[in-house]
């Protein structure tokens, strides 16, 4: 059965976490959320009180942000905002002002909402014109005096050790609260749209048999001697069985596990939106994802979660631009091009060189720094001696060139392009033309040569179908075969990828056994399915 899929990695998982600029309306201190108080003992949350609530008695729960003047003034915060509270010393016990309440202690406060004195109004706070006059306070959970403060904006750069040790405090912070709630909204929007398109949400097992030919899998021992499970690196085989079984439009927000070396764009476990449908082709799958992404981003704009110019991402037909793998490598030196800016690689045929033109004046120190970063990453073996630069005649831009036109030289120049752009942008130069830039990359080789094993391996996975135009090369020159494989790239990071599946049993066996040298018997149950 001809099927196509597209796993979409959700924010902050497999790929390098993206900096999502949220619209002000999504910040916690600016919205009223009536439902969040249902089924709780609180009457209001700390971010929703306004001048209309003056005179009302409220019951609040939250964490102490800070105290002043022997607990006479407290700032109480929860997940939705902050409210100033003032102690009514006439109604509180005499011992109250001597009570030590450390920051981040959990408290319950009851009192009356009143207007702040004009001199104490804070227009930068959503609740800055009011306060709560406390007539009862209970410390529900007392925090230690030595606890670090990780919840203020200025504290977001704390060491990872502290952030992980006191994870609950990190989660209380605005950055983490916003990210987690944004993620929840994204999942909700995607689910709703996919249900509208009659996709069926199905759960698949996490414990499964080993899948040869893919990423390294985590092995899970059992109580039975010499019997093990493998944690699924993706629902690959399972969702294809659903296609064969008649669930022809499937999706799942699933966990995936890969036992890979630590890198900024790889994690041992991550979440992806997994989609598969039957009787389709590459163009239709890409069109469907474009529609889904347009709906997600436009809905996020409408609800105030994001503020993105959609014309920077989609063309007039609400489609995302595409580029062929070969062109991406020739022009950008990689298969994940960052298209927010130009600086394309030029072939200087008369000089047998490659170059990029940077519209800024840069010195040798910056180039050397970036080359050393490339060497330190061990992604590309290169030397400092083959890279040179020169200013243009007007001395307004810099040409960086390499005295070679090899694939390695193209990769080095591609990495330099990215690193120099990042360095210049971080120092205030306007490098990127837009904040978000998507592009589809298609036309990948079906196989790549593994230098360590001296054999071919799947560029995507062993179930990817070859293109009709190059399938005849499988027996004579498999390295020239192009796969029906497509990646979606955002700002130089792969955020989604999929392929059209092989639906011919003879072809699948040939690729397993004769090209990849894998045991096709492990997939017999799957190959034989009509």
């Amino acid at each position: 059965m001809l099927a196509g899929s597209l796993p979409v990695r959700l924010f902050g998982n497999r790929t390098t976490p993206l900096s999502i600029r949220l619209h002000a309306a999504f910040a916690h201190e600016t919205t009223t959320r009536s439902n969040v108080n249902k089924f709780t003992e609180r009457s209001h949350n700390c971010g929703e009180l306004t001048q209309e609530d003056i005179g009302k008695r409220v019951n609040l729960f939250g964490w102490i942000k800070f105290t002043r003047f022997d607990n006479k003034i407290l700032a109480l915060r929860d997940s939705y905002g902050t409210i100033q509270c003032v102690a009514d010393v006439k109604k509180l016990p005499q011992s109250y002002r001597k009570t030590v309440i450390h920051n981040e202690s959990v408290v319950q406060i009851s009192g009356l909402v009143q207007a702040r004195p004009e001199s104490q109004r804070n227009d930068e706070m959503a609740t800055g014109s009011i306060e709560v006059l406390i007539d009862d306070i209970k410390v529900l959970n007392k925090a230690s005096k030595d606890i670090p403060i990780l919840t203020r904006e200025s504290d977001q750069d704390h060491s990872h050790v502290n952030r992980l040790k006191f994870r609950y405090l990190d989660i209380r912070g605005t950055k983490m609260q916003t990210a987690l709630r944004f993620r929840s909204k994204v999942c909700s929007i995607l689910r709703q749209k996919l249900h509208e398109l009659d996709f069926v949400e199905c759960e698949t097992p996490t414990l499964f048999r080993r899948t040869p030919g893919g990423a390294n899998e985590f092995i899970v021992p059992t109580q039975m001697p010499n019997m093990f499970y493998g944690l699924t690196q993706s629902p690959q085989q399972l969702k294809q069985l659903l296609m064969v079984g008649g669930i022809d439009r499937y999706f799942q927000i699933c966990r995936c596990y890969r036992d890979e070396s630590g890198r900024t764009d790889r994690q041992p476990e991550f979440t992806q939106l997994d989609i598969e449908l039957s009787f389709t082709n590459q163009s239709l799958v890409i069109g469907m994802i474009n529609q889904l992404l347009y709906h997600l981003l436009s809905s996020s704009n409408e609800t105030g979660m994001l503020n993105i110019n959609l014309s920077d991402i989609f063309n007039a037909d609400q489609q995302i631009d595409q580029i062929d793998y070969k062109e991406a490598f020739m022009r950008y030196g990689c298969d994940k091009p960052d298209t927010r800016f130009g600086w394309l690689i030029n072939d200087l045929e008369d000089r047998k060189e490659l170059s990029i033109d940077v519209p800024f004046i840069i010195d040798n120190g910056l180039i050397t720094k970036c080359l050393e970063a490339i060497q330190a990453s061990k992604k590309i073996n290169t030397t400092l001696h083959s890279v040179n630069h020169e200013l243009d005649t007007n001395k307004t831009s810099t040409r960086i060139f390499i005295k070679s036109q090899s694939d390695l030289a193209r990769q080095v120049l591609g990495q330099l392009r990215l690193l120099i752009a990042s360095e210049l942008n971080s120092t205030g130069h306007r490098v990127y033309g837009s904040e978000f830039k998507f592009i589809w990359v298609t036309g990948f080789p079906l196989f790549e040569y593994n230098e360590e094993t001296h054999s071919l391996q799947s560029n995507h996975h062993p179930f990817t179908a070859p293109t009709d135009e190059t399938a005849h090369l499988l027996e004579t020159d498999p390295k020239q075969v192009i796969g029906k494989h497509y990646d979606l790239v955002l700002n130089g990071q792969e955020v989604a990828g999929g392929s059209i599946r092989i639906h011919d049993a003879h072809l699948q066996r040939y690729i397993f056994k004769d090209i990849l040298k894998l045991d096709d018997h492990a997939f017999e149950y799957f190959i034989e399915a009509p």
Side-chain angles (χ1 to χ4, degrees), residues 335-369:
D335 60 1
K336 301 177 183 63
D338 188 339
T339 55
R340 288 176 295 172
F341 64 109
W343 310 9
L344 303 183
I345 297 174
N346 303 305
D347 286 77
L348 306 178
E349 295 294 347
D350 55 330
R351 297 165 57 174
K352 301 299 180 184
E353 296 175 348
L354 298 175
S355 72
I356 56 172
D357 293 322
V358 180
F360 301 96
I361 298 176
I362 58 176
D363 57 28
N364 191 59
L366 176 58
I367 296 174
T368 301
K369 176 183 178 181

mmCIF file of all heavy atoms in Angstrom, residues 335-369:
data_model
loop_
_atom_site.group_PDB
_atom_site.id
_atom_site.type_symbol
_atom_site.label_atom_id
_atom_site.label_comp_id
_atom_site.label_asym_id
_atom_site.label_seq_id
_atom_site.Cartn_x
_atom_site.Cartn_y
_atom_site.Cartn_z
ATOM 1 N N ASP A 335 22.488 20.299 3.646
ATOM 2 C CA ASP A 335 21.131 19.905 3.246
ATOM 3 C C ASP A 335 20.067 20.479 4.174
ATOM 4 O O ASP A 335 18.901 20.101 4.115
ATOM 5 C CB ASP A 335 21.005 18.378 3.186
ATOM 6 C CG ASP A 335 21.298 17.705 4.524
ATOM 7 O OD1 ASP A 335 21.587 18.419 5.506
ATOM 8 O OD2 ASP A 335 21.254 16.464 4.595
ATOM 9 N N LYS A 336 20.474 21.412 5.055
ATOM 10 C CA LYS A 336 19.532 22.097 5.957
ATOM 11 C C LYS A 336 19.773 23.600 5.845
ATOM 12 O O LYS A 336 20.256 24.237 6.787
ATOM 13 C CB LYS A 336 19.710 21.616 7.398
ATOM 14 C CG LYS A 336 19.514 20.123 7.608
ATOM 15 C CD LYS A 336 19.784 19.742 9.046
ATOM 16 C CE LYS A 336 19.658 18.239 9.265
ATOM 17 N NZ LYS A 336 20.638 17.472 8.489
ATOM 18 N N PRO A 337 19.460 24.193 4.723
ATOM 19 C CA PRO A 337 19.834 25.596 4.500
ATOM 20 C C PRO A 337 19.055 26.582 5.364
ATOM 21 O O PRO A 337 17.851 26.458 5.546
ATOM 22 C CB PRO A 337 19.504 25.795 3.020
ATOM 23 C CG PRO A 337 18.437 24.796 2.713
ATOM 24 C CD PRO A 337 18.755 23.605 3.567
ATOM 25 N N ASP A 338 19.786 27.548 5.907
ATOM 26 C CA ASP A 338 19.167 28.667 6.609
ATOM 27 C C ASP A 338 18.929 29.753 5.558
ATOM 28 O O ASP A 338 19.865 30.407 5.087
ATOM 29 C CB ASP A 338 20.085 29.189 7.712
ATOM 30 C CG ASP A 338 19.414 30.229 8.600
ATOM 31 O OD1 ASP A 338 18.422 30.836 8.142
ATOM 32 O OD2 ASP A 338 19.885 30.445 9.728
ATOM 33 N N THR A 339 17.679 29.942 5.178
ATOM 34 C CA THR A 339 17.345 30.846 4.077
ATOM 35 C C THR A 339 16.874 32.217 4.552
ATOM 36 O O THR A 339 16.282 32.975 3.796
ATOM 37 C CB THR A 339 16.264 30.210 3.180
ATOM 38 O OG1 THR A 339 15.124 29.855 3.991
ATOM 39 C CG2 THR A 339 16.794 28.950 2.511
ATOM 40 N N ARG A 340 17.145 32.538 5.816
ATOM 41 C CA ARG A 340 16.777 33.871 6.314
ATOM 42 C C ARG A 340 17.684 34.958 5.727
ATOM 43 O O ARG A 340 17.362 36.137 5.828
ATOM 44 C CB ARG A 340 16.886 33.906 7.842
ATOM 45 C CG ARG A 340 15.825 33.134 8.576
ATOM 46 C CD ARG A 340 16.082 33.156 10.068
ATOM 47 N NE ARG A 340 17.315 32.463 10.417
ATOM 48 C CZ ARG A 340 17.857 32.462 11.629
ATOM 49 N NH1 ARG A 340 17.281 33.151 12.601
ATOM 50 N NH2 ARG A 340 18.969 31.764 11.874
ATOM 51 N N PHE A 341 18.820 34.558 5.164
ATOM 52 C CA PHE A 341 19.745 35.531 4.600
ATOM 53 C C PHE A 341 20.415 34.919 3.377
ATOM 54 O O PHE A 341 20.322 33.723 3.123
ATOM 55 C CB PHE A 341 20.795 35.955 5.641
ATOM 56 C CG PHE A 341 21.701 34.845 6.110
ATOM 57 C CD1 PHE A 341 23.031 34.814 5.730
ATOM 58 C CD2 PHE A 341 21.233 33.829 6.929
ATOM 59 C CE1 PHE A 341 23.874 33.806 6.156
ATOM 60 C CE2 PHE A 341 22.064 32.815 7.366
ATOM 61 C CZ PHE A 341 23.391 32.801 6.977
ATOM 62 N N GLY A 342 21.085 35.753 2.586
ATOM 63 C CA GLY A 342 21.698 35.306 1.338
ATOM 64 C C GLY A 342 23.063 34.692 1.528
ATOM 65 O O GLY A 342 23.207 33.620 2.085
ATOM 66 N N TRP A 343 24.097 35.387 1.034
ATOM 67 C CA TRP A 343 25.478 34.923 1.136
ATOM 68 C C TRP A 343 25.648 33.543 0.501
ATOM 69 O O TRP A 343 26.252 32.643 1.066
ATOM 70 C CB TRP A 343 25.965 34.856 2.573
ATOM 71 C CG TRP A 343 25.752 36.058 3.427
ATOM 72 C CD1 TRP A 343 25.022 37.171 3.140
ATOM 73 C CD2 TRP A 343 26.263 36.257 4.752
ATOM 74 N NE1 TRP A 343 25.035 38.058 4.187
ATOM 75 C CE2 TRP A 343 25.791 37.524 5.196
ATOM 76 C CE3 TRP A 343 27.051 35.504 5.606
ATOM 77 C CZ2 TRP A 343 26.114 38.040 6.437
ATOM 78 C CZ3 TRP A 343 27.359 36.003 6.854
ATOM 79 C CH2 TRP A 343 26.908 37.260 7.265
ATOM 80 N N LEU A 344 25.090 33.343 -0.676
ATOM 81 C CA LEU A 344 25.143 32.031 -1.315
ATOM 82 C C LEU A 344 26.554 31.728 -1.801
ATOM 83 O O LEU A 344 27.350 32.617 -2.101
ATOM 84 C CB LEU A 344 24.156 31.979 -2.477
ATOM 85 C CG LEU A 344 22.695 32.289 -2.144
ATOM 86 C CD1 LEU A 344 21.821 32.124 -3.378
ATOM 87 C CD2 LEU A 344 22.200 31.414 -1.009
ATOM 88 N N ILE A 345 26.868 30.440 -1.896
ATOM 89 C CA ILE A 345 28.183 30.005 -2.350
ATOM 90 C C ILE A 345 28.290 30.204 -3.863
ATOM 91 O O ILE A 345 27.410 29.775 -4.624
ATOM 92 C CB ILE A 345 28.435 28.534 -1.983
ATOM 93 C CG1 ILE A 345 28.439 28.370 -0.456
ATOM 94 C CG2 ILE A 345 29.749 28.037 -2.575
ATOM 95 C CD1 ILE A 345 28.547 26.931 0.015
ATOM 96 N N ASN A 346 29.369 30.841 -4.282
ATOM 97 C CA ASN A 346 29.628 31.075 -5.700
ATOM 98 C C ASN A 346 30.756 30.174 -6.179
ATOM 99 O O ASN A 346 31.744 29.974 -5.475
ATOM 100 C CB ASN A 346 30.024 32.538 -5.935
ATOM 101 C CG ASN A 346 28.969 33.509 -5.437
ATOM 102 O OD1 ASN A 346 27.816 33.429 -5.830
ATOM 103 N ND2 ASN A 346 29.369 34.420 -4.551
ATOM 104 N N ASP A 347 30.622 29.649 -7.398
ATOM 105 C CA ASP A 347 31.689 28.881 -8.038
ATOM 106 C C ASP A 347 32.487 29.813 -8.937
ATOM 107 O O ASP A 347 31.969 30.314 -9.940
ATOM 108 C CB ASP A 347 31.094 27.740 -8.853
ATOM 109 C CG ASP A 347 30.571 26.613 -7.975
ATOM 110 O OD1 ASP A 347 29.476 26.764 -7.384
ATOM 111 O OD2 ASP A 347 31.261 25.592 -7.876
ATOM 112 N N LEU A 348 33.738 30.053 -8.563
ATOM 113 C CA LEU A 348 34.622 30.897 -9.375
ATOM 114 C C LEU A 348 35.419 29.986 -10.302
ATOM 115 O O LEU A 348 36.525 29.541 -9.974
ATOM 116 C CB LEU A 348 35.548 31.724 -8.476
ATOM 117 C CG LEU A 348 34.846 32.570 -7.390
ATOM 118 C CD1 LEU A 348 35.865 33.296 -6.529
ATOM 119 C CD2 LEU A 348 33.868 33.553 -8.021
ATOM 120 N N GLU A 349 34.815 29.668 -11.439
ATOM 121 C CA GLU A 349 35.390 28.672 -12.339
ATOM 122 C C GLU A 349 36.766 29.089 -12.851
ATOM 123 O O GLU A 349 37.670 28.258 -12.997
ATOM 124 C CB GLU A 349 34.448 28.417 -13.516
ATOM 125 C CG GLU A 349 33.121 27.781 -13.126
ATOM 126 C CD GLU A 349 33.278 26.364 -12.594
ATOM 127 O OE1 GLU A 349 34.375 25.797 -12.759
ATOM 128 O OE2 GLU A 349 32.318 25.837 -12.010
ATOM 129 N N ASP A 350 36.946 30.390 -13.123
ATOM 130 C CA ASP A 350 38.226 30.827 -13.676
ATOM 131 C C ASP A 350 39.366 30.678 -12.677
ATOM 132 O O ASP A 350 40.531 30.531 -13.054
ATOM 133 C CB ASP A 350 38.121 32.284 -14.139
ATOM 134 C CG ASP A 350 37.653 33.211 -13.033
ATOM 135 O OD1 ASP A 350 36.900 32.744 -12.161
ATOM 136 O OD2 ASP A 350 38.036 34.393 -13.043
ATOM 137 N N ARG A 351 39.023 30.699 -11.383
ATOM 138 C CA ARG A 351 40.054 30.588 -10.337
ATOM 139 C C ARG A 351 40.000 29.248 -9.610
ATOM 140 O O ARG A 351 40.789 29.005 -8.695
ATOM 141 C CB ARG A 351 39.883 31.730 -9.333
ATOM 142 C CG ARG A 351 40.094 33.109 -9.938
ATOM 143 C CD ARG A 351 39.579 34.236 -9.056
ATOM 144 N NE ARG A 351 40.163 34.246 -7.715
ATOM 145 C CZ ARG A 351 39.940 35.208 -6.817
ATOM 146 N NH1 ARG A 351 39.142 36.225 -7.129
ATOM 147 N NH2 ARG A 351 40.494 35.164 -5.627
ATOM 148 N N LYS A 352 39.027 28.389 -10.004
ATOM 149 C CA LYS A 352 38.853 27.091 -9.351
ATOM 150 C C LYS A 352 38.688 27.268 -7.841
ATOM 151 O O LYS A 352 39.297 26.573 -7.031
ATOM 152 C CB LYS A 352 40.024 26.150 -9.643
ATOM 153 C CG LYS A 352 40.243 25.855 -11.119
ATOM 154 C CD LYS A 352 39.017 25.176 -11.725
ATOM 155 C CE LYS A 352 39.232 24.867 -13.209
ATOM 156 N NZ LYS A 352 38.014 24.285 -13.837
ATOM 157 N N GLU A 353 37.827 28.223 -7.464
ATOM 158 C CA GLU A 353 37.590 28.532 -6.063
ATOM 159 C C GLU A 353 36.086 28.587 -5.776
ATOM 160 O O GLU A 353 35.258 28.674 -6.687
ATOM 161 C CB GLU A 353 38.214 29.883 -5.696
ATOM 162 C CG GLU A 353 39.714 29.932 -5.797
ATOM 163 C CD GLU A 353 40.248 31.332 -5.548
ATOM 164 O OE1 GLU A 353 39.444 32.300 -5.529
ATOM 165 O OE2 GLU A 353 41.471 31.457 -5.384
ATOM 166 N N LEU A 354 35.784 28.560 -4.485
ATOM 167 C CA LEU A 354 34.428 28.812 -3.999
ATOM 168 C C LEU A 354 34.475 30.064 -3.133
ATOM 169 O O LEU A 354 35.473 30.316 -2.441
ATOM 170 C CB LEU A 354 33.911 27.639 -3.164
ATOM 171 C CG LEU A 354 33.782 26.287 -3.856
ATOM 172 C CD1 LEU A 354 33.383 25.215 -2.837
ATOM 173 C CD2 LEU A 354 32.762 26.342 -4.981
ATOM 174 N N SER A 355 33.373 30.821 -3.139
ATOM 175 C CA SER A 355 33.370 32.046 -2.332
ATOM 176 C C SER A 355 31.977 32.375 -1.830
ATOM 177 O O SER A 355 30.976 31.897 -2.363
ATOM 178 C CB SER A 355 33.900 33.228 -3.154
ATOM 179 O OG SER A 355 32.938 33.616 -4.131
ATOM 180 N N ILE A 356 31.922 33.185 -0.777
ATOM 181 C CA ILE A 356 30.675 33.819 -0.335
ATOM 182 C C ILE A 356 30.962 35.302 -0.149
ATOM 183 O O ILE A 356 32.067 35.687 0.242
ATOM 184 C CB ILE A 356 30.125 33.220 0.976
ATOM 185 C CG1 ILE A 356 31.163 33.297 2.108
ATOM 186 C CG2 ILE A 356 29.645 31.805 0.775
ATOM 187 C CD1 ILE A 356 30.615 32.895 3.462
ATOM 188 N N ASP A 357 29.991 36.125 -0.453
ATOM 189 C CA ASP A 357 30.124 37.569 -0.290
ATOM 190 C C ASP A 357 29.332 38.016 0.925
ATOM 191 O O ASP A 357 28.100 37.880 0.969
ATOM 192 C CB ASP A 357 29.632 38.294 -1.541
ATOM 193 C CG ASP A 357 30.519 38.024 -2.747
ATOM 194 O OD1 ASP A 357 31.747 37.943 -2.566
ATOM 195 O OD2 ASP A 357 29.984 37.884 -3.863
ATOM 196 N N VAL A 358 30.045 38.519 1.928
ATOM 197 C CA VAL A 358 29.437 38.971 3.178
ATOM 198 C C VAL A 358 29.302 40.491 3.116
ATOM 199 O O VAL A 358 30.305 41.194 2.955
ATOM 200 C CB VAL A 358 30.307 38.565 4.382
ATOM 201 C CG1 VAL A 358 29.671 39.045 5.687
ATOM 202 C CG2 VAL A 358 30.507 37.055 4.405
ATOM 203 N N PRO A 359 28.088 41.034 3.228
ATOM 204 C CA PRO A 359 27.890 42.490 3.076
ATOM 205 C C PRO A 359 28.305 43.292 4.308
ATOM 206 O O PRO A 359 27.666 44.269 4.675
ATOM 207 C CB PRO A 359 26.383 42.598 2.819
ATOM 208 C CG PRO A 359 25.802 41.430 3.530
ATOM 209 C CD PRO A 359 26.806 40.324 3.411
ATOM 210 N N PHE A 360 29.369 42.859 4.965
ATOM 211 C CA PHE A 360 29.929 43.568 6.110
ATOM 212 C C PHE A 360 31.452 43.473 6.023
ATOM 213 O O PHE A 360 31.996 42.559 5.400
ATOM 214 C CB PHE A 360 29.469 42.946 7.445
ATOM 215 C CG PHE A 360 27.987 42.938 7.648
ATOM 216 C CD1 PHE A 360 27.232 41.814 7.344
ATOM 217 C CD2 PHE A 360 27.329 44.056 8.147
ATOM 218 C CE1 PHE A 360 25.861 41.798 7.524
ATOM 219 C CE2 PHE A 360 25.960 44.052 8.331
ATOM 220 C CZ PHE A 360 25.222 42.927 8.019
ATOM 221 N N ILE A 361 32.116 44.375 6.682
ATOM 222 C CA ILE A 361 33.576 44.292 6.774
ATOM 223 C C ILE A 361 33.925 43.416 7.973
ATOM 224 O O ILE A 361 33.529 43.711 9.102
ATOM 225 C CB ILE A 361 34.200 45.694 6.951
ATOM 226 C CG1 ILE A 361 33.893 46.562 5.734
ATOM 227 C CG2 ILE A 361 35.714 45.592 7.161
ATOM 228 C CD1 ILE A 361 34.383 47.993 5.869
ATOM 229 N N ILE A 362 34.624 42.326 7.734
ATOM 230 C CA ILE A 362 35.017 41.426 8.816
ATOM 231 C C ILE A 362 36.521 41.205 8.743
ATOM 232 O O ILE A 362 37.134 41.308 7.688
ATOM 233 C CB ILE A 362 34.259 40.089 8.744
ATOM 234 C CG1 ILE A 362 34.486 39.395 7.402
ATOM 235 C CG2 ILE A 362 32.778 40.284 8.977
ATOM 236 C CD1 ILE A 362 33.832 38.030 7.318
ATOM 237 N N ASP A 363 37.103 40.890 9.894
ATOM 238 C CA ASP A 363 38.558 40.715 9.935
ATOM 239 C C ASP A 363 38.927 39.248 10.017
ATOM 240 O O ASP A 363 38.076 38.370 10.176
ATOM 241 C CB ASP A 363 39.170 41.498 11.101
ATOM 242 C CG ASP A 363 38.569 41.092 12.446
ATOM 243 O OD1 ASP A 363 38.117 39.930 12.584
ATOM 244 O OD2 ASP A 363 38.544 41.937 13.357
ATOM 245 N N ASN A 364 40.213 38.988 9.946
ATOM 246 C CA ASN A 364 40.712 37.614 9.966
ATOM 247 C C ASN A 364 40.438 36.942 11.301
ATOM 248 O O ASN A 364 40.276 35.714 11.365
ATOM 249 C CB ASN A 364 42.214 37.601 9.672
ATOM 250 C CG ASN A 364 42.729 36.199 9.411
ATOM 251 O OD1 ASN A 364 42.277 35.523 8.491
ATOM 252 N ND2 ASN A 364 43.671 35.752 10.234
ATOM 253 N N GLY A 365 40.373 37.743 12.377
ATOM 254 C CA GLY A 365 40.128 37.157 13.700
ATOM 255 C C GLY A 365 38.793 36.446 13.780
ATOM 256 O O GLY A 365 38.693 35.353 14.355
ATOM 257 N N LEU A 366 37.747 37.051 13.208
ATOM 258 C CA LEU A 366 36.425 36.426 13.233
ATOM 259 C C LEU A 366 36.416 35.147 12.391
ATOM 260 O O LEU A 366 35.844 34.140 12.802
ATOM 261 C CB LEU A 366 35.375 37.406 12.725
ATOM 262 C CG LEU A 366 33.940 36.871 12.605
ATOM 263 C CD1 LEU A 366 33.447 36.349 13.954
ATOM 264 C CD2 LEU A 366 32.998 37.948 12.077
ATOM 265 N N ILE A 367 37.054 35.196 11.235
ATOM 266 C CA ILE A 367 37.098 34.011 10.378
ATOM 267 C C ILE A 367 37.838 32.871 11.085
ATOM 268 O O ILE A 367 37.387 31.711 11.087
ATOM 269 C CB ILE A 367 37.765 34.348 9.030
ATOM 270 C CG1 ILE A 367 36.923 35.380 8.279
ATOM 271 C CG2 ILE A 367 37.954 33.097 8.189
ATOM 272 C CD1 ILE A 367 37.557 35.882 7.003
ATOM 273 N N THR A 368 38.968 33.195 11.708
ATOM 274 C CA THR A 368 39.744 32.182 12.429
ATOM 275 C C THR A 368 38.935 31.586 13.574
ATOM 276 O O THR A 368 38.933 30.364 13.796
ATOM 277 C CB THR A 368 41.047 32.795 12.979
ATOM 278 O OG1 THR A 368 41.816 33.315 11.894
ATOM 279 C CG2 THR A 368 41.867 31.756 13.728
ATOM 280 N N LYS A 369 38.230 32.434 14.312
ATOM 281 C CA LYS A 369 37.400 31.968 15.420
ATOM 282 C C LYS A 369 36.348 30.978 14.935
ATOM 283 O O LYS A 369 36.122 29.926 15.551
ATOM 284 C CB LYS A 369 36.725 33.167 16.101
ATOM 285 C CG LYS A 369 35.755 32.798 17.212
ATOM 286 C CD LYS A 369 35.087 34.046 17.777
ATOM 287 C CE LYS A 369 34.070 33.669 18.856
ATOM 288 N NZ LYS A 369 33.386 34.890 19.403
#
